[in-house]
Amino acid sequence: MTNAAPEFRWRSIALPALLPTLLFSTGEGAILPIIPVVATDLGATLAVAGLIAAMVMIGELVGDVPSGWIVARVGERVAMLGASSLALLGLVLSVFAPNPFLLGLGIFFAGLATAVFALARHAFMTSFVPIAYRARALSTLGGTFRLGYLVGPFLSAAVIHITGDTKAAFWIFVVGCLGAAITLLLLPDPETTFGAARLSRAQTNTGGTATVAPTEARMGLFSTLAARRDVLLRLGVGSAIVAALRASRQVILPLWAVSIGLADTQTALIIGIASIVDFGLFYAGGQIMDRFGRLWTALPSMIGLGVGHIGLALTSGLPGREGWFIVLAVFLSLANGIGAGMLMTMGADLAPRRDPAPFLGAWRFTNDAGAAAAPVAVAGLTALISLPFAAATLGVLGLVGAGVLLRYVPRFASGRTT
């Protein structure tokens, strides 16, 4: 039995494809927990500190607007080098910021850089990895990001403990950006290495010559949104709900721990263990998607996230709330972990083979819009009614999202090899 794609050698591109991502995401993971602390030290109120922390997500959402166009014009490697440089600018500004405003601006630049960096690597995987391996490759990419976000806070804690300076965590991200840029420059460029393979596949699919349509390469975010509105108004809504439930989980769990009186160390330990469970499942999800189809992880993940949120609300008044919190934190991580790489894989399935970046930019924009809206919804519902009501509302939304995915994933993104 021959391989599905004899020209594809995963081991030969794993290091240059994933190492820059790991370095960049580890640096970003190192600064995320300390942004509100630094903002408060600079005189920000609690509300302003929360807004500054949200600038990462806001920057990513804004960065989705030009990212597809940038990657289509300059290529994945150059785009990631540019993103690393922009992140460095934001980090230097953050380190030396004398006030919360400049700190927020620096964090915003880091968010912009993250959008371009992530889109570039997503576009590479979409273009060069054969569909038979696509879900495993993109789940591994998602797992690489999660590993960075898992390791980063521990590095941050160690560096702050040694130096006694909270801002020292920013230098971890500086090192991560420099390391990513160096690996991009020194290691073989996988885009160049497998360029002939992509051209060959495109020629096979088009029956001869394969060229990227100039108008396709020049399409910006809003043109792509209009051109692909049929997919984005259907499956895109489902993916946005997935992103919203994932983002709300990261907000609700710490808030829930505070509401039931857990100590900071206990909260960190429980969420840390849950994060390890989350990370440990990334490759299993990719295997399932490649073997059985995208819906086999999309649906269980979405139902699990919805049920987990509802479970939090239902246990709010029960005795032994601490135990229920541990169980549900791990359950939510299981549901989230089995869906690692799910959104990237579905986006890759839907993107044009010859020039995926513009569509992937639009796809990531819809997802990031959901992710950005979720914390605002949690905060608003908690302020207006209660935290259990916010959890229940997001849980019901998750079950609605499961229905949307059940309806449209088989139609738009079956994951079948053609």
Side-chain angles (χ1 to χ4, degrees), residues 143-209:
T144 303
F145 275 108
R146 293 180 187 207
L147 178 59
Y149 295 148
L150 178 63
V151 172
F154 290 103
L155 288 178
S156 180
V159 169
I160 292 171
H161 177 73
I162 293 170
T163 63
D165 181 10
T166 306
K167 282 190 173 182
F170 286 106
W171 293 109
I172 299 174
F173 200 176
V174 169
V175 172
C177 288
L178 291 174
I182 291 170
T183 56
L184 287 166
L185 291 171
L186 296 183
L187 293 177
D189 180 9
E191 184 182 2
T192 301
T193 303
F194 286 88
R198 176 167 66 172
L199 181 60
S200 174
R201 288 198 296 272
Q203 288 174 335
T204 300
N205 294 330
T206 56
T209 59

Side-chain angles (χ1 to χ4, degrees), residues 3-4 13 48 50 57 63 67 105 133 136 151 184 228 230 237 247 250 278 303 334 380 390:
N3 292 330
I13 68 164
V48 172
M57 193 66 247
S67 61
L105 185 61
Y133 307 100
R136 278 167 285 182
V151 172
L184 287 166
R228 303 297 301 276
D230 183 49
V237 170
Q250 295 175 331
D278 188 337
I303 292 173
L334 285 168

Side-chain angles (χ1 to χ4, degrees), residues 1 122 132 162 201 212 301 362 390 400 402:
M1 183 176 179
H122 189 183
I162 293 170
R201 288 198 296 272
V212 177
S301 178
V400 171

Side-chain angles (χ1 to χ4, degrees), residues 23-411:
L23 292 169
F24 189 93
S25 61
T26 299
E28 186 179 11
I31 72 166
L32 291 178
I34 59 92
I35 292 172
V37 179
V38 174
T40 305
D41 290 343
L42 290 174
T45 64
L46 219 70
V48 172
L51 177 62
I52 292 172
M55 293 306 288
V56 175
M57 193 66 247
I58 294 171
E60 286 192 40
L61 187 62
V62 174
D64 288 330
V65 175
S67 61
W69 180 86
I70 291 170
V71 173
R73 290 297 296 264
V74 305
E76 289 93 348
R77 187 187 202 183
V78 175
M80 286 190 290
L81 287 169
S84 298
S85 300
L86 179 60
L88 284 171
L89 173 63
L91 291 166
V92 171
L93 184 60
S94 299
V95 169
F96 296 104
N99 55 60
F101 174 79
L102 288 179
L103 174 65
L105 185 61
I107 299 302
F108 177 76
F109 286 158
L112 287 175
T114 300
V116 177
F117 195 100
L119 186 279
R121 190 45 84 217
H122 189 183
F124 164 77
M125 293 291 193
T126 301
S127 298
F128 292 102
V129 176
I131 193 170
Y133 307 100
R134 175 178 286 168
R136 278 167 285 182
L138 287 169
S139 292
T140 302
L141 177 62
T144 303
F145 275 108
R146 293 180 187 207
L147 178 59
Y149 295 148
L150 178 63
V151 172
F154 290 103
L155 288 178
S156 180
V159 169
I160 292 171
H161 177 73
I162 293 170
T163 63
D165 181 10
T166 306
K167 282 190 173 182
F170 286 106
W171 293 109
I172 299 174
F173 200 176
V174 169
V175 172
C177 288
L178 291 174
I182 291 170
T183 56
L184 287 166
L185 291 171
L186 296 183
L187 293 177
D189 180 9
E191 184 182 2
T192 301
T193 303
F194 286 88
R198 176 167 66 172
L199 181 60
S200 174
R201 288 198 296 272
Q203 288 174 335
T204 300
N205 294 330
T206 56
T209 59
T211 57
V212 177
T215 55
E216 194 175 65
R218 295 192 188 105
M219 284 182 72
L221 172 73
F222 299 109
S223 299
T224 306
L225 287 171
R228 303 297 301 276
R229 61 185 178 275
D230 183 49
V231 173
L232 294 172
L233 286 174
R234 290 174 171 83
L235 192 51
V237 170
S239 70
I241 295 175
V242 174
L245 266 288
R246 288 176 169 179
S248 71
R249 178 183 69 98
Q250 295 175 331
V251 175
I252 280 181
L253 287 179
L255 289 176
W256 203 271
V258 171
S259 72
I260 63 176
L262 285 180
D264 292 346
T265 52
Q266 291 176 304
T267 302
L269 179 61
I270 293 168
I271 294 178
I273 292 172
S275 298
I276 293 171
V277 172
D278 188 337
F279 168 72
L281 290 171
F282 74 88
Y283 195 74
Q287 285 276 15
I288 293 170
M289 282 190 282
D290 275 336
R291 291 179 182 274
F292 304 107
R294 311 324 189 202
L295 195 61
W296 284 85
T297 60
L299 203 57
S301 178
M302 199 72 248
I303 292 173
L305 287 170
V307 169
H309 278 75
I310 293 172
L312 282 173
L314 293 177
T315 59
S316 62
L318 296 180
R321 291 181 301 171
E322 295 83 358
W324 283 112
F325 176 73
I326 295 171
V327 170
L328 290 167
V330 173
F331 179 79
L332 284 166
S333 292
L334 285 168
N336 193 58
I338 201 67
M342 173 179 66
L343 296 182
M344 288 192 291
T345 301
M346 289 196 293
D349 290 340
L350 297 164
R353 292 192 179 189
R354 289 180 295 173
D355 186 32
F359 175 80
L360 293 179
W363 178 256
R364 297 183 73 94
F365 179 82
T366 61
N367 297 340
D368 288 344
V376 177
V378 170
L381 291 171
T382 300
L384 290 173
I385 303 176
S386 68
L387 183 58
F389 181 83
T393 301
L394 269 295
V396 172
L397 179 65
L399 297 181
V400 171
V404 174
L405 294 176
L406 179 63
R407 171 66 180 85
Y408 292 114
V409 167
R411 176 178 173 184

